């Protein structure tokens, strides 16, 4: 599963400092998104999955109203989603990570890696074939990620999500 996924957590340069673009005043979308996910204050609206390789919006309406305006000039969920897609994030269509987004260079506890992300020059197509999507619960395939200080969905919430007990607006 996920034959094309590259585990950048194993990359030797993953946590090397990045040199930003000269004169850059603004943080990129992935950097802001990473900061949002690392902040416990927002974990009831958006959160890392337990493995730290994908994230999920838990309460779309509240996320749009309370979180997006704190990080972006716009306050619309549709604009946020366009940015997510424009930066090459992919949506998972089946399994425990259904409706989650991932990017090979966007990993919990590794903000320096997401600072290296570039907007794709051509459209990144999200494969609708679940066999092409990675299974982040296959621990043999992936290096462990940092956990400390990270907002994640806990196991009881994961169980509730899989049963459909938690409200999702998306």
């Amino acid at each position: 599963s996920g034959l094309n996924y590259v585990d950048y957590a194993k990359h030797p340069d993953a946590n090397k400092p990045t040199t930003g673009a000269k004169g850059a005043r603004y943080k990129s979308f992935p950097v802001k998104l990473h900061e949002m996910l690392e902040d416990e204050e927002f974990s009831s609206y958006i959160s890392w999955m337990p493995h730290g390789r994908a994230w999920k919006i838990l309460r779309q309406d509240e996320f749009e109203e309370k979180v997006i305006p704190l990080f972006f000039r716009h306050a619309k969920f549709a604009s946020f989603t366009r940015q997510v897609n424009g930066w090459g994030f992919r949506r998972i269509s089946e399994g425990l990570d259904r409706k989650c987004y991932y990017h090979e260079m966007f990993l919990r506890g590794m903000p320096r890696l997401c600072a290296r992300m570039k907007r794709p020059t051509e459209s990144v197509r999200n494969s609708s074939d679940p066999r092409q999507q990675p299974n982040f619960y296959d621990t043999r395939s992936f290096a462990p990620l940092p956990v400390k200080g990270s907002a994640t969905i806990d196991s009881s919430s994961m169980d509730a999500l899989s049963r459909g007990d938690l409200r999702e607006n998306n």
Side-chain angles (χ1 to χ4, degrees), residues 92-111:
I92 297 173
S93 61
E94 283 191 3
L96 290 173
D97 289 339
R98 186 175 164 270
K99 294 187 178 182
C100 292
Y101 292 91
Y102 73 96
H103 188 289
E104 294 169 341
M105 298 181 85
F106 194 82
L107 306 172
R108 180 184 62 219
M110 303 183 86

Side-chain angles (χ1 to χ4, degrees), residues 8-67:
Y8 279 93
K10 298 176 185 176
H11 194 278
D13 294 337
N15 271 321
K16 275 189 180 176
T18 57
T19 54
K22 291 190 176 176
R25 291 186 191 160
Y26 305 103
K27 295 177 184 174
S28 69
F29 176 84
V31 170
K32 289 180 183 181
L33 179 59
H34 203 280
E35 288 175 357
M36 185 186 301
L37 281 157
E38 293 292 320
D39 192 327
E40 287 284 334
E41 181 181 349
F42 307 120
S43 63
S44 61
Y45 311 112
I46 184 171
S47 187
W48 289 109
M49 297 307 287
H51 47 70
R53 294 174 191 286
W55 53 273
K56 186 171 196 165
I57 296 167
L58 304 173
R59 293 181 172 88
Q60 181 181 319
D61 291 344
E62 293 97 329
F63 176 72
E64 180 177 37
E65 178 187 328
K66 298 175 181 176
V67 182

Side-chain angles (χ1 to χ4, degrees), residues 114-135:
C114 79
R116 297 175 180 275
M117 291 172 63
K118 306 275 187 251
R119 288 181 72 94
T121 53
E122 48 185 73
S123 174
V124 174
R125 297 200 70 178
N126 190 3
S127 173
S128 58
D129 182 354
R131 293 173 300 183
Q132 295 300 316
Q133 297 172 351
N135 173 7

Side-chain angles (χ1 to χ4, degrees), residues 134-152:
N135 173 7
F136 295 122
Y137 297 92
D138 179 4
T139 56
R140 295 164 296 160
S141 301
F142 303 105
L145 295 175
V147 176
K148 189 177 180 223
S150 301
T152 60

